Amino acid sequence: MEKYGLLGFPLGHSFSRNYFNQKFEAEGIDAEYVNFEIPDIKELKTILKENPDLRGLNVTLPYKTQVIPLLDELDEDAKQIGAVNVIKFKKGLFGKTKLKGYNSDIIGFKESIEPQLKEHHTKALILGTGGASKAVFHGLKQLGIDPVYVSRTPGEFNIIYNEITADTMDKYKVIVNTTPLGMHPHINSCPDIPYEYITPDHLLYDLLYNPDETLFMKKGKEKGANVKNGLEMLLLQAFAGWEIWQKKE
């Protein structure tokens, strides 16, 4: 039996574990998916030693960047983003296992948002500068959209929330929330942007998917904007991860 798993801490209720074990059962795949809840990324070496049947790993918080020095190789997207959420096990010289890191978040995001894009969607505001924002940034660039980070603190490569004016909102017709604001149970919070300047030409995309419609999305919908949550991205990135593991190289 092949084994796949998730690295992170804490893990709690894992989407990945349920998703993949249901997939394996439904498709008659002789494999299992387990959680590896480790308090230190250095414990990865022990996991590899104790689980010789491992064929692939997903990586979640807080290890998407911490795991990189422990890998043998990085895919180009993962290298640019500086974060890994999929590890593929490859056979190297003399049967030695090599670990290659990928980022399927960028694949899931691009495939999810692309059908929503219109010709006037040329610039985007990315709310938040955490790990997920980097995959969004590079995904938008690859789709030909010019992205800018929005943060609570000033920085060389971002603007701050109180710098967002009517003119900014007019130029940046795509707004992507990568912050946890509005996530259950804190459903009455949302990013601090001037929602009064949103129009039907805007696209508001929220990486959150619990609740189905966040306050950020509701406020956009009230102004006639197109809104979308991150559930499809979550499913697409999981599917992309499986494709990466199965692809022959």
Side-chain angles (χ1 to χ4, degrees):
M1 181 184 281
E2 291 186 343
K3 188 183 283 186
Y4 300 88
L6 175 66
L7 291 179
F9 188 84
L11 291 178
H13 181 72
S14 163
F15 161 81
S16 297
R17 183 173 63 182
N18 291 341
Y19 171 83
F20 281 109
N21 282 325
Q22 286 171 13
K23 176 184 175 67
F24 298 155
E25 187 177 350
E27 298 179 22
I29 298 168
D30 189 23
E32 68 167 339
Y33 191 101
V34 298
N35 282 350
F36 296 106
E37 193 172 49
I38 53 174
D40 192 313
I41 192 58
K42 290 174 186 170
E43 291 186 28
L44 174 59
K45 290 178 181 176
T46 306
I47 288 170
L48 300 179
K49 195 175 179 182
E50 294 177 351
N51 297 273
D53 47 354
L54 263 176
R55 295 293 177 266
L57 287 167
N58 286 124
V59 185
T60 189
L61 298 173
Y63 300 133
K64 288 187 179 186
T65 55
Q66 291 181 37
V67 77
I68 291 175
L70 303 177
L71 305 178
D72 300 293
E73 201 178 338
L74 283 183
D75 168 71
E76 196 53 43
D77 278 341
K79 202 180 290 181
Q80 281 190 18
I81 295 164
V84 162
N85 74 320
V86 177
I87 299 172
K88 181 173 184 171
F89 288 48
K90 298 168 63 182
K91 288 295 179 191
L93 290 173
F94 310 112
K96 184 182 182 297
T97 300
K98 291 181 70 178
L99 304 182
K100 184 171 181 179
Y102 295 81
N103 191 299
S104 69
D105 284 335
I106 188 173
I107 301 169
F109 174 70
K110 280 169 59 181
E111 290 182 358
S112 177
I113 198 172
E114 191 170 18
Q116 312 296 323
L117 298 172
K118 305 286 191 295
E119 280 185 21
H120 60 272
H121 291 145
T122 57
K123 292 176 178 287
L125 295 177
I126 301 174
L127 311 180
T129 54
S133 69
K134 295 177 179 66
V136 168
F137 182 92
H138 288 283
L140 289 169
K141 293 270 284 188
Q142 289 177 14
L143 291 168
I145 295 171
D146 185 24
V148 170
Y149 289 116
V150 183
S151 177
R152 288 175 297 177
T153 52
E156 191 179 349
F157 303 108
N158 66 267
I159 63 173
I160 55 177
Y161 283 92
N162 62 14
E163 290 175 336
I164 301 175
T165 62
D167 186 51
T168 311
M169 297 291 281
D170 185 51
K171 288 177 182 171
Y172 292 84
K173 292 292 200 308
V174 179
I175 306 174
V176 184
N177 177 39
T178 72
T179 77
L181 290 170
M183 184 167 64
H184 183 82
H186 307 292
I187 60 172
N188 294 319
S189 61
C190 62
D192 186 18
I193 61 171
Y195 293 93
E196 64 268 27
Y197 300 126
I198 288 173
T199 69
D201 285 338
H202 280 84
L203 166 61
L204 271 62
Y205 189 105
D206 202 328
L207 262 59
L208 302 177
Y209 52 88
N210 184 13
D212 291 338
E213 188 174 87
T214 60
L215 187 56
F216 168 75
M217 292 167 64
K218 280 179 186 169
K219 284 175 172 280
K221 209 182 209 179
E222 284 168 5
K223 295 292 183 179
N226 182 20
V227 302
K228 188 172 178 69
N229 71 19
L231 182 60
E232 186 183 48
M233 173 184 166
L234 184 75
L235 294 168
L236 287 168
Q237 68 80 23
F239 182 72
W242 177 247
E243 296 259 293
I244 289 165
W245 290 331
Q246 297 305 299
K247 189 178 177 183
K248 303 291 183 196
E249 290 190 25

